[in-house]
Amino acid sequence: MVRIKTSEEIEAMRPACQLAANTLVMIEAYIRPGISTDEINTIVHDYTIKHGATPAPLNYRGFPKSVCTSVNHVVCHGIPGPKKLNSGDIINVDVTSILNGWHGDTSKTFFVGEPRPRARKVTEVSRKALEIGIAAARPGATLGDIGHAIQSYVEAEKCSVVREYCGHGIGREFHEEPQVLHYGNPGEGMELKAGMVFTIEPMVNIGKAAVKLLGDGWTVVTRDKALSAQFEHTIALHEGGAEILTSATV
C-alpha cells in the first residue's frame, strides 16, 4: 500500500533529504585518483553521524557499509573496500540518511579525473534521464508515464535501461511502495497522487541492459562489462507537480 504523506510529513522528511544531498556535495572534493572506496565510506559515515543522523545502508539486510560505491561497470550496490580509484573511472555514490526517523535517498555519478568519451556519454545520459523522469511525475500521470519518458530518451541515445532495479517509495521506511520502473508504456501502472514521495533513480548502461548479481549478494554488474551510471533524487508530488527533496543546501 502506498503511504500518502501529509504536508507536515513531507516537511519532516526534508532535513533527512537535504542532509543526504549535502553529503554528496561534501564527498565530491574527495573523489580523486588514489582514494579507496572504503575511505569514501568512512568519510560519509563520519559526516552523517556528525550531523546527528544514521547511514541507512549500514546493516540494512546485512549490507556491511554505510554507503554504496559503484565503479565503472558496477551498476549498483557496490560494497566499499580497498579498491582505489583511477583517473578515468566513474563512480556512483549512493547516500541514504536517517534523521528524526525519516529517510532521504540520493545518488550521483562522479568523474574521477578526466573522463573518457564513453564515460562522459553514459553519465550525461543518466543525469538527463533523471531530469526527464522527474518532469513526467505529476498527479494524474501514471508510473508508466515516468518509465516511458526515461526509456524513450535513453534508447534514443543508444544506451540501455536496467530493468531489474527501480525507484521506490520512501519515508519512515527505506523502501516503500510504489516500485518506480524506469521503463514502461504511457498510461499504464498506478496513477500518481499528491502526497506520494518516492525516488527516481535510472541505471543506464552504455552497452546492453543485462546485469548479474555477484557472489557477495549485493554487487550488481553489467554482463558485458560496459560502463553504467546512475543519478537519483527523492521527490514529493504536490498538486502543481514534483518537488525535489534531495536538493543540496550547502
Side-chain angles (χ1 to χ4, degrees):
M1 186 178 72
V2 175
R3 300 175 184 175
I4 301 296
K5 272 75 171 178
T6 65
S7 58
E8 291 79 11
E9 287 174 321
I10 291 171
E11 285 304 308
M13 284 191 68
R14 197 178 301 280
C17 291
Q18 292 179 344
L19 175 59
N22 292 347
T23 304
L24 285 182
V25 173
M26 176 276 300
I27 202 62
E28 184 164 15
Y30 297 92
I31 304 295
R32 59 184 185 273
I35 193 171
S36 71
T37 53
D38 204 34
E39 288 174 298
I40 293 170
N41 176 79
T42 298
I43 295 165
V44 168
H45 178 92
D46 291 349
Y47 183 88
T48 304
I49 299 300
K50 177 183 176 182
H51 286 82
T54 302
L58 185 61
N59 299 320
Y60 178 78
R61 297 182 179 176
F63 191 80
K65 296 290 184 173
S66 296
V67 68
C68 296
T69 53
S70 302
V71 180
N72 293 336
H73 72 290
V74 178
V75 175
C76 60
H77 304 157
I79 301 173
K83 178 181 175 61
K84 294 184 183 296
L85 300 182
N86 296 309
S87 183
D89 287 344
I90 56 174
I91 178 173
N92 177 270
V93 179
D94 191 343
V95 173
T96 308
S97 305
I98 308 171
L99 185 60
N100 301 323
W102 296 95
H103 291 70
D105 191 2
T106 185
S107 83
K108 178 179 179 179
T109 296
F110 297 93
F111 299 134
V112 183
E114 182 63 28
R116 299 179 178 89
R118 287 172 68 82
R120 184 180 294 278
K121 166 79 172 181
V122 72
T123 300
E124 294 304 328
V125 170
S126 179
R127 187 200 313 274
K128 182 66 174 179
L130 174 58
E131 293 174 0
I132 288 171
I134 293 172
R138 59 188 181 276
T142 68
L143 288 173
D145 293 337
I146 297 174
H148 178 73
I150 291 170
Q151 180 185 6
S152 298
Y153 166 71
V154 170
E155 292 180 353
E157 292 293 325
K158 308 300 182 187
C159 294
S160 60
V161 177
V162 171
R163 304 294 183 102
E164 290 84 350
Y165 300 88
C166 61
H168 53 89
I170 189 169
R172 289 197 176 276
E173 301 294 330
F174 195 164
H175 295 92
E176 301 178 354
E177 293 297 324
Q179 295 187 52
V180 183
L181 304 181
H182 304 117
Y183 63 94
N185 298 311
E188 292 186 353
M190 181 182 294
E191 180 179 339
L192 304 177
K193 300 181 184 300
M196 286 184 173
V197 179
F198 53 83
T199 71
I200 302 177
E201 46 185 294
M203 285 146 273
V204 175
N205 299 345
I206 197 74
K208 296 180 179 180
V211 301
K212 66 178 179 179
L213 179 65
L214 298 186
D216 60 22
W218 285 102
T219 307
V220 179
V221 299
T222 55
R223 284 193 174 273
D224 59 9
K225 302 291 180 69
L227 295 173
S228 185
Q230 180 188 19
F231 287 81
E232 174 185 15
H233 273 309
T234 297
I235 66 169
L237 295 189
H238 304 290
E239 291 298 342
E243 178 193 7
I244 299 173
L245 296 181
T246 43
S247 292
T249 57
V250 296

